[in-house]
């Protein structure tokens, strides 16, 4: 990986004659070393050279084994992306190590699970705290305390989930960038082996943004559901119910209990895992439509619970 990182840093980008020449040069060097080792082996077997000379040739050949593996990897990648030009896509030599780590199906499920835990802790007492602090009757005795306060509480969920999602998503990207130096983000996503089957014509940067937007929207939906629940019950009850709905299935799926997959929030909120597994279709997002409908119903019910209290 270190060898490939250095190579991509120097030669990464649009395919050029320089890339082909450099790979051929590395292959020739590795073949020459291997040929020398085979010759030394025969000489040692016939007693023409000492053990020290043989071991030196063996160590040199073993050192070049890393270069051979890197050349094989690069050749395989170039053979794959060369055909993209026939589809009107510019072939770009991209360091796939970091992007594979960022985009594979379970890459950010831990991040999403931690994000949901944070959302549960933050929003489980949004409305219930009013009752616990004996402010409920005072709030409900005025129009502002019923309607304006309700909508203020609901709308403040959005900037908080945005900041949480942004920080957690950026930390994942920065971690992979530190390890693998993510580059060539203007290249088409089909230059990456892990995304070549996805039916979207986007750059890597656009795909990263789309992934973030999807995650932000549905983390916000989860946050609104938890906030709505707090209008009906104490904080502890909200935490228990939210954990059963959003955290427990994800935790079970992450320890390879696959029956929990279809209701796992960390899987369903992971855009990349979802489309790699199911593809892009209406059926792939059926659980998301259900989640949005459930969120709207909960918001309506919590609004009635909080706001329609004038007569009481």
């Amino acid at each position: 990986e270190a060898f490939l990182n250095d190579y991509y840093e120097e030669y990464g980008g649009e395919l050029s004659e320089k890339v082909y020449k450099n790979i051929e040069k590395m292959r020739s060097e590795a073949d020459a070393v291997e040929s020398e080792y085979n010759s030394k082996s025969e000489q040692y077997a016939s007693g023409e050279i000492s053990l020290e000379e043989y071991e030196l040739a063996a160590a040199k050949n073993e050192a070049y084994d890393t270069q051979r593996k890197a050349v094989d990897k690069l050749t395989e990648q170039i053979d794959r992306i060369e055909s993209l030009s026939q589809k009107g896509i510019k072939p770009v030599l991209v360091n796939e190590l970091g992007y594979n780590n960022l985009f594979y199906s379970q890459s950010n499920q831990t991040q999403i699970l931690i994000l949901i835990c944070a959302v549960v802790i933050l929003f489980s007492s949004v409305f219930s705290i009013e009752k616990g602090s004996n402010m409920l009757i005072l709030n409900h005795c005025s129009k502002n305390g019923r309607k304006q306060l309700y909508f203020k509480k609901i709308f403040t969920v959005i900037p908080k989930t945005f900041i949480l999602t942004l920080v957690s998503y950026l930390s994942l990207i920065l971690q992979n960038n530190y390890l693998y130096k993510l580059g060539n983000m203007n290249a088409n996503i089909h230059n990456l082996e892990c995304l070549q089957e996805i039916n979207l014509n986007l750059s890597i940067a656009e795909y990263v943004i789309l992934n973030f937007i999807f995650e932000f929207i549905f983390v916000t939906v989860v946050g609104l559901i938890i906030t709505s629940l707090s209008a009906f019950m104490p904080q502890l009850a909200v935490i228990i119910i939210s954990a059963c709905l959003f955290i427990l299935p994800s935790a079970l799926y992450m320890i390879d209990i696959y029956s929990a997959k279809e209701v796992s929030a960390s899987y369903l909120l992971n855009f990349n895992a979802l489309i790699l597994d199911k593809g892009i279709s209406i059926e792939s997002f059926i659980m998301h439509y259900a989640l949005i409908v459930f969120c709207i119903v909960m918001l309506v019910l919590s609004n009635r619970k909080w706001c329609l209290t004038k007569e009481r």
Side-chain angles (χ1 to χ4, degrees), residues 84-124:
L84 292 176
S85 56
Q86 299 171 6
K87 302 176 183 178
I89 298 171
K90 185 187 294 183
V92 178
L93 190 63
V94 178
N95 186 350
E96 292 189 305
L97 296 171
Y99 289 119
N100 287 342
N101 198 44
L102 187 63
F103 293 142
Y104 84 105
S105 60
Q106 291 189 321
S107 61
N108 59 333
Q109 291 197 34
T110 303
Q111 171 239 344
I112 291 174
L113 184 56
I114 294 170
L115 195 56
I116 293 170
C117 290
V119 167
V120 170
I121 292 168
L122 273 178
F123 303 127
S124 58

Side-chain angles (χ1 to χ4, degrees), residues 97-273:
L97 296 171
Y99 289 119
N100 287 342
N101 198 44
L102 187 63
F103 293 142
Y104 84 105
S105 60
Q106 291 189 321
S107 61
N108 59 333
Q109 291 197 34
T110 303
Q111 171 239 344
I112 291 174
L113 184 56
I114 294 170
L115 195 56
I116 293 170
C117 290
V119 167
V120 170
I121 292 168
L122 273 178
F123 303 127
S124 58
S125 64
V126 171
F127 289 111
S128 60
I129 197 171
E130 304 291 347
K131 187 173 182 180
S133 60
N134 295 316
M135 290 296 293
L136 195 61
I137 296 173
L138 183 61
N139 287 334
H140 284 177
C141 73
S142 69
K143 185 178 179 180
N144 287 350
R146 292 191 301 274
K147 293 192 177 294
Q148 286 190 22
L149 184 59
Y150 174 84
F151 288 109
K152 282 181 181 179
K153 283 177 176 287
I154 291 298
F155 287 129
T156 52
V157 169
I158 298 170
K160 289 176 183 177
T161 54
F162 178 81
I163 292 169
L164 278 172
T165 309
L166 183 65
V167 169
S168 64
Y169 196 71
L170 277 179
S171 66
L172 189 68
I173 293 173
L174 292 173
Q175 181 185 7
N176 281 281
N177 185 59
Y178 175 76
L179 293 171
Y180 302 104
K181 293 181 171 54
L182 304 176
N184 302 111
M185 295 193 79
N186 291 324
N188 192 284
I189 59 171
H190 294 98
N191 283 286
L192 301 175
E193 186 175 10
C194 61
L195 300 180
Q196 63 182 2
E197 300 300 326
I198 293 177
N199 190 25
L200 289 172
N201 188 23
L202 299 171
S203 69
I204 296 171
E206 289 168 340
Y207 186 83
V208 168
I209 293 169
L210 179 63
N211 217 328
F212 167 76
I213 291 171
F214 186 92
E215 189 173 308
F216 161 64
I217 289 172
F218 285 98
V219 168
T220 303
V221 169
V222 170
L224 290 172
I225 290 171
I226 294 166
T227 301
S228 301
L229 282 172
S230 72
F232 297 93
M233 58 194 75
Q235 183 179 11
L236 183 59
V238 176
I239 291 173
I240 292 170
I241 292 173
S242 301
C244 292
L245 285 174
F246 302 115
I247 297 174
L248 184 59
S250 300
L252 292 174
Y253 176 53
M254 290 178 69
I255 58 172
D256 299 333
I257 299 176
Y258 293 104
S259 56
K261 178 180 178 179
E262 296 302 325
V263 290
S264 165
S266 63
Y267 168 74
L268 293 171
L269 271 58
N270 186 338
F271 176 76
N272 194 68

Side-chain angles (χ1 to χ4, degrees), residues 62-97:
E62 189 176 343
Y64 269 81
D65 192 49
T66 298
Q67 184 164 308
R68 289 188 199 97
K69 289 176 181 176
V71 168
D72 290 342
K73 181 77 176 175
L74 290 165
T75 304
E76 180 188 338
Q77 183 180 355
I78 288 169
D79 290 343
R80 177 169 45 80
I81 65 174
E82 276 178 333
S83 61
L84 292 176
S85 56
Q86 299 171 6
K87 302 176 183 178
I89 298 171
K90 185 187 294 183
V92 178
L93 190 63
V94 178
N95 186 350
E96 292 189 305
L97 296 171

